[in-house]
Amino acid sequence: MTSDAELPPEATAQVVADALARLEPVLPLLRDLGERFAADGHELALVGGPVRDAFLGRDSLDLDLTTSARPEQIEPLLERWGSATWDMGRDFGTIGARRGETVVEVTTYRADEYDRTTRKPVVAFGDDLAGDLVRRDFTVNAMALRLPHLELVDPHGGMLDLAAGRLRTPSTPEVSFADDPLRMLRAARFVAQLGLTPAPDVVTAMTAAAPSLEIVSAERVRDELVKLLLAPDPVAGLRLLVDTGLADQVLPELPALRLEIDEHHRHKDVYEHSLTVLQQAIDLESGADGPVPGPDLVLRLAALLHDIGKPATRRFEDGGGVSFHHHDVVGAKLTAKRMRALRFDKDTTKAVARLVELHLRFHGYGDGQWTDSAVRRYVTDAGDLLQRLHRLTRADCTTRNRRKADRLRRAYDDLEERIDRLAEQEELDRVRPELDGNHIGEILGIPPGPELGEAYRFLLELRLDEGVLGPEVAAERLRRWWAGRSSA
């Protein structure tokens, strides 16, 4: 919309009017709350994310407010205004309240100082809005709307920065990032989420302060990384993390993919390839009613990390070739290790690592020479990750050779068609032996235990190899197997 020049007054008025129109559904409640605070002699302002999002034309679920009132003064005011209140952190000055479907969080002006070693704030309450805003992370989050009169307070040019697509800090970036190093990750997240471009001094400060991120807890790092990955353009945010050295602190496996390319360019830039795969996987996410509704964290993590086993497995072969044997298995282990370090939950970690382990399985399919048994095993091994595996495998094709790309696409089309046909015939997504444990025990005359488990696995292998045989044939094959096992 503009660069460094100020917006003309008429344009500013229109932008503010549009933002207020976006907030119109909640303005009556906010005005009422502002009047109540003013009647008691306190200032109140809508601040941060909801103001920023209103200027961007986005709906915001959060209604964050800041006030000159102290927590003990906030609480009775909210009790009279809302239907419920709760203490969200009295020591930090935050009280929450609900009125109908509207939820607000009201926080006393802050004037914190930080312990630069542990990043723990020494909580101090401030007395004015300007002092509160200058301590916020970025100018686009340092705008406020005074209530009840809806006066815009923008001392650091946040609205102009939004118009220019620019990311700056209210104070110097060195001071801002020293106060809270997590803000550097948040900068990358806003690049991915809002399409902002960090100012040169912000990038310089991020690069210099990257090592300080080590004092931030793994949980806080994980949460920011997740928000970045689920944003509309995570590739842009990830590039900033790598270029500034922040990725070396939080996700070192990613910059490690920047392998040196041999002089004959016989293998791809794995880093660029991985970012391309991530973008292509995002493009393959389905709508809300589809099999992989986007944004899908498991698919995006698997796409980003699928090749992180390559640096450890790279070998230069005789004749100038390069190989990465077993990088799928090694990569799965590295993926699980990194995700555990970032405190991801067990289910997400297991799912992402499994996709990394399986991402090469399709390449044994060739021109469709797999047996039905091999197709069944492919589906069984993928389990409930099958739809994500379909998308990861397709996204992993980044060759510029159109003929090769078309061949791979046709081969995977063929595999999916075979899976669908077998699923119709055999309900493949629920593959089980044709006899359950009770029937196996009755036929063989054995109690529950290791032998019954072994018999169950035999029938499962039989089911995978030969498909549906019918209970009678399955029972006869079981007896023959048992007799042979016993004689052996």
Side-chain angles (χ1 to χ4, degrees), residues 227-247:
K227 291 175 184 177
L228 187 158
L229 286 170
L230 295 180
D233 187 12
V235 170
L238 291 167
R239 286 191 185 280
L240 181 60
L241 291 184
V242 172
D243 292 344
T244 56
L246 286 164

PDB file of all heavy atoms in Angstrom, residues 227-247:
ATOM      1  N   LYS A 227       3.020 -22.970  15.553  1.00  0.00           N
ATOM      2  CA  LYS A 227       2.257 -21.868  14.951  1.00  0.00           C
ATOM      3  C   LYS A 227       2.849 -21.474  13.604  1.00  0.00           C
ATOM      4  O   LYS A 227       2.118 -21.166  12.661  1.00  0.00           O
ATOM      5  CB  LYS A 227       2.246 -20.669  15.896  1.00  0.00           C
ATOM      6  CG  LYS A 227       1.425 -20.878  17.161  1.00  0.00           C
ATOM      7  CD  LYS A 227       1.567 -19.695  18.108  1.00  0.00           C
ATOM      8  CE  LYS A 227       0.832 -19.942  19.419  1.00  0.00           C
ATOM      9  NZ  LYS A 227       1.037 -18.816  20.386  1.00  0.00           N
ATOM     10  N   LEU A 228       4.175 -21.481  13.509  1.00  0.00           N
ATOM     11  CA  LEU A 228       4.835 -21.158  12.249  1.00  0.00           C
ATOM     12  C   LEU A 228       4.494 -22.193  11.178  1.00  0.00           C
ATOM     13  O   LEU A 228       4.148 -21.848  10.043  1.00  0.00           O
ATOM     14  CB  LEU A 228       6.342 -21.087  12.467  1.00  0.00           C
ATOM     15  CG  LEU A 228       7.245 -20.609  11.321  1.00  0.00           C
ATOM     16  CD1 LEU A 228       8.573 -20.101  11.881  1.00  0.00           C
ATOM     17  CD2 LEU A 228       7.534 -21.709  10.303  1.00  0.00           C
ATOM     18  N   LEU A 229       4.575 -23.467  11.544  1.00  0.00           N
ATOM     19  CA  LEU A 229       4.326 -24.533  10.568  1.00  0.00           C
ATOM     20  C   LEU A 229       2.879 -24.563  10.096  1.00  0.00           C
ATOM     21  O   LEU A 229       2.587 -24.989   8.979  1.00  0.00           O
ATOM     22  CB  LEU A 229       4.713 -25.887  11.160  1.00  0.00           C
ATOM     23  CG  LEU A 229       6.220 -26.149  11.266  1.00  0.00           C
ATOM     24  CD1 LEU A 229       6.480 -27.401  12.096  1.00  0.00           C
ATOM     25  CD2 LEU A 229       6.841 -26.291   9.882  1.00  0.00           C
ATOM     26  N   LEU A 230       1.955 -24.128  10.942  1.00  0.00           N
ATOM     27  CA  LEU A 230       0.542 -24.140  10.574  1.00  0.00           C
ATOM     28  C   LEU A 230       0.114 -22.859   9.874  1.00  0.00           C
ATOM     29  O   LEU A 230      -1.046 -22.720   9.484  1.00  0.00           O
ATOM     30  CB  LEU A 230      -0.321 -24.360  11.826  1.00  0.00           C
ATOM     31  CG  LEU A 230      -0.150 -25.716  12.518  1.00  0.00           C
ATOM     32  CD1 LEU A 230      -1.058 -25.811  13.739  1.00  0.00           C
ATOM     33  CD2 LEU A 230      -0.430 -26.870  11.562  1.00  0.00           C
ATOM     34  N   ALA A 231       1.040 -21.934   9.693  1.00  0.00           N
ATOM     35  CA  ALA A 231       0.746 -20.663   9.042  1.00  0.00           C
ATOM     36  C   ALA A 231       0.588 -20.854   7.535  1.00  0.00           C
ATOM     37  O   ALA A 231       0.959 -21.898   6.986  1.00  0.00           O
ATOM     38  CB  ALA A 231       1.870 -19.663   9.336  1.00  0.00           C
ATOM     39  N   PRO A 232       0.055 -19.848   6.846  1.00  0.00           N
ATOM     40  CA  PRO A 232      -0.138 -19.980   5.393  1.00  0.00           C
ATOM     41  C   PRO A 232       1.160 -20.166   4.603  1.00  0.00           C
ATOM     42  O   PRO A 232       1.163 -20.825   3.577  1.00  0.00           O
ATOM     43  CB  PRO A 232      -0.827 -18.654   5.015  1.00  0.00           C
ATOM     44  CG  PRO A 232      -1.512 -18.211   6.265  1.00  0.00           C
ATOM     45  CD  PRO A 232      -0.609 -18.633   7.373  1.00  0.00           C
ATOM     46  N   ASP A 233       2.281 -19.571   5.057  1.00  0.00           N
ATOM     47  CA  ASP A 233       3.530 -19.657   4.297  1.00  0.00           C
ATOM     48  C   ASP A 233       4.687 -20.041   5.225  1.00  0.00           C
ATOM     49  O   ASP A 233       5.592 -19.231   5.464  1.00  0.00           O
ATOM     50  CB  ASP A 233       3.819 -18.323   3.614  1.00  0.00           C
ATOM     51  CG  ASP A 233       5.019 -18.395   2.668  1.00  0.00           C
ATOM     52  OD1 ASP A 233       5.475 -19.515   2.367  1.00  0.00           O
ATOM     53  OD2 ASP A 233       5.493 -17.322   2.239  1.00  0.00           O
ATOM     54  N   PRO A 234       4.699 -21.274   5.740  1.00  0.00           N
ATOM     55  CA  PRO A 234       5.771 -21.657   6.658  1.00  0.00           C
ATOM     56  C   PRO A 234       7.157 -21.649   6.026  1.00  0.00           C
ATOM     57  O   PRO A 234       8.149 -21.437   6.724  1.00  0.00           O
ATOM     58  CB  PRO A 234       5.379 -23.074   7.098  1.00  0.00           C
ATOM     59  CG  PRO A 234       4.455 -23.573   6.043  1.00  0.00           C
ATOM     60  CD  PRO A 234       3.737 -22.365   5.537  1.00  0.00           C
ATOM     61  N   VAL A 235       7.250 -21.831   4.724  1.00  0.00           N
ATOM     62  CA  VAL A 235       8.561 -21.865   4.071  1.00  0.00           C
ATOM     63  C   VAL A 235       9.286 -20.540   4.274  1.00  0.00           C
ATOM     64  O   VAL A 235      10.490 -20.507   4.566  1.00  0.00           O
ATOM     65  CB  VAL A 235       8.417 -22.192   2.574  1.00  0.00           C
ATOM     66  CG1 VAL A 235       9.741 -21.985   1.840  1.00  0.00           C
ATOM     67  CG2 VAL A 235       7.944 -23.636   2.396  1.00  0.00           C
ATOM     68  N   ALA A 236       8.580 -19.412   4.162  1.00  0.00           N
ATOM     69  CA  ALA A 236       9.213 -18.106   4.345  1.00  0.00           C
ATOM     70  C   ALA A 236       9.736 -17.957   5.766  1.00  0.00           C
ATOM     71  O   ALA A 236      10.838 -17.443   5.988  1.00  0.00           O
ATOM     72  CB  ALA A 236       8.212 -16.990   4.025  1.00  0.00           C
ATOM     73  N   GLY A 237       8.962 -18.408   6.751  1.00  0.00           N
ATOM     74  CA  GLY A 237       9.415 -18.327   8.135  1.00  0.00           C
ATOM     75  C   GLY A 237      10.601 -19.223   8.411  1.00  0.00           C
ATOM     76  O   GLY A 237      11.527 -18.846   9.140  1.00  0.00           O
ATOM     77  N   LEU A 238      10.602 -20.412   7.831  1.00  0.00           N
ATOM     78  CA  LEU A 238      11.712 -21.342   8.031  1.00  0.00           C
ATOM     79  C   LEU A 238      12.996 -20.811   7.404  1.00  0.00           C
ATOM     80  O   LEU A 238      14.085 -20.977   7.961  1.00  0.00           O
ATOM     81  CB  LEU A 238      11.356 -22.705   7.443  1.00  0.00           C
ATOM     82  CG  LEU A 238      10.263 -23.466   8.187  1.00  0.00           C
ATOM     83  CD1 LEU A 238       9.754 -24.644   7.347  1.00  0.00           C
ATOM     84  CD2 LEU A 238      10.754 -23.970   9.540  1.00  0.00           C
ATOM     85  N   ARG A 239      12.894 -20.180   6.252  1.00  0.00           N
ATOM     86  CA  ARG A 239      14.086 -19.594   5.627  1.00  0.00           C
ATOM     87  C   ARG A 239      14.707 -18.546   6.545  1.00  0.00           C
ATOM     88  O   ARG A 239      15.938 -18.467   6.667  1.00  0.00           O
ATOM     89  CB  ARG A 239      13.723 -18.961   4.286  1.00  0.00           C
ATOM     90  CG  ARG A 239      13.456 -19.957   3.175  1.00  0.00           C
ATOM     91  CD  ARG A 239      13.376 -19.244   1.829  1.00  0.00           C
ATOM     92  NE  ARG A 239      12.999 -20.153   0.767  1.00  0.00           N
ATOM     93  CZ  ARG A 239      13.833 -20.995   0.162  1.00  0.00           C
ATOM     94  NH1 ARG A 239      15.090 -21.037   0.533  1.00  0.00           N
ATOM     95  NH2 ARG A 239      13.399 -21.792  -0.799  1.00  0.00           N
ATOM     96  N   LEU A 240      13.860 -17.736   7.195  1.00  0.00           N
ATOM     97  CA  LEU A 240      14.391 -16.718   8.104  1.00  0.00           C
ATOM     98  C   LEU A 240      15.089 -17.377   9.286  1.00  0.00           C
ATOM     99  O   LEU A 240      16.156 -16.917   9.715  1.00  0.00           O
ATOM    100  CB  LEU A 240      13.252 -15.814   8.587  1.00  0.00           C
ATOM    101  CG  LEU A 240      13.661 -14.681   9.534  1.00  0.00           C
ATOM    102  CD1 LEU A 240      14.673 -13.754   8.869  1.00  0.00           C
ATOM    103  CD2 LEU A 240      12.428 -13.893   9.989  1.00  0.00           C
ATOM    104  N   LEU A 241      14.522 -18.461   9.811  1.00  0.00           N
ATOM    105  CA  LEU A 241      15.160 -19.170  10.921  1.00  0.00           C
ATOM    106  C   LEU A 241      16.543 -19.691  10.515  1.00  0.00           C
ATOM    107  O   LEU A 241      17.509 -19.599  11.283  1.00  0.00           O
ATOM    108  CB  LEU A 241      14.285 -20.339  11.376  1.00  0.00           C
ATOM    109  CG  LEU A 241      12.966 -20.019  12.073  1.00  0.00           C
ATOM    110  CD1 LEU A 241      12.291 -21.309  12.523  1.00  0.00           C
ATOM    111  CD2 LEU A 241      13.174 -19.102  13.266  1.00  0.00           C
ATOM    112  N   VAL A 242      16.631 -20.240   9.326  1.00  0.00           N
ATOM    113  CA  VAL A 242      17.913 -20.794   8.863  1.00  0.00           C
ATOM    114  C   VAL A 242      18.913 -19.681   8.576  1.00  0.00           C
ATOM    115  O   VAL A 242      20.075 -19.737   8.986  1.00  0.00           O
ATOM    116  CB  VAL A 242      17.693 -21.675   7.614  1.00  0.00           C
ATOM    117  CG1 VAL A 242      19.040 -22.089   7.006  1.00  0.00           C
ATOM    118  CG2 VAL A 242      16.893 -22.925   7.984  1.00  0.00           C
ATOM    119  N   ASP A 243      18.461 -18.629   7.896  1.00  0.00           N
ATOM    120  CA  ASP A 243      19.374 -17.550   7.491  1.00  0.00           C
ATOM    121  C   ASP A 243      19.941 -16.787   8.686  1.00  0.00           C
ATOM    122  O   ASP A 243      21.059 -16.250   8.608  1.00  0.00           O
ATOM    123  CB  ASP A 243      18.651 -16.570   6.562  1.00  0.00           C
ATOM    124  CG  ASP A 243      18.306 -17.199   5.216  1.00  0.00           C
ATOM    125  OD1 ASP A 243      18.876 -18.258   4.890  1.00  0.00           O
ATOM    126  OD2 ASP A 243      17.449 -16.637   4.499  1.00  0.00           O
ATOM    127  N   THR A 244      19.201 -16.716   9.778  1.00  0.00           N
ATOM    128  CA  THR A 244      19.668 -15.978  10.957  1.00  0.00           C
ATOM    129  C   THR A 244      20.401 -16.855  11.957  1.00  0.00           C
ATOM    130  O   THR A 244      20.916 -16.355  12.961  1.00  0.00           O
ATOM    131  CB  THR A 244      18.480 -15.311  11.677  1.00  0.00           C
ATOM    132  OG1 THR A 244      17.511 -16.319  12.013  1.00  0.00           O
ATOM    133  CG2 THR A 244      17.828 -14.247  10.812  1.00  0.00           C
ATOM    134  N   GLY A 245      20.435 -18.166  11.721  1.00  0.00           N
ATOM    135  CA  GLY A 245      21.088 -19.068  12.661  1.00  0.00           C
ATOM    136  C   GLY A 245      20.191 -19.539  13.786  1.00  0.00           C
ATOM    137  O   GLY A 245      20.617 -20.338  14.629  1.00  0.00           O
ATOM    138  N   LEU A 246      18.930 -19.084  13.813  1.00  0.00           N
ATOM    139  CA  LEU A 246      18.016 -19.529  14.864  1.00  0.00           C
ATOM    140  C   LEU A 246      17.698 -21.017  14.737  1.00  0.00           C
ATOM    141  O   LEU A 246      17.522 -21.714  15.738  1.00  0.00           O
ATOM    142  CB  LEU A 246      16.718 -18.716  14.820  1.00  0.00           C
ATOM    143  CG  LEU A 246      16.825 -17.290  15.347  1.00  0.00           C
ATOM    144  CD1 LEU A 246      15.624 -16.473  14.914  1.00  0.00           C
ATOM    145  CD2 LEU A 246      16.942 -17.287  16.865  1.00  0.00           C
ATOM    146  N   ALA A 247      17.640 -21.505  13.495  1.00  0.00           N
ATOM    147  CA  ALA A 247      17.352 -22.929  13.301  1.00  0.00           C
ATOM    148  C   ALA A 247      18.447 -23.806  13.891  1.00  0.00           C
ATOM    149  O   ALA A 247      18.179 -24.935  14.314  1.00  0.00           O
ATOM    150  CB  ALA A 247      17.173 -23.239  11.813  1.00  0.00           C
TER     151      ALA A 247
END
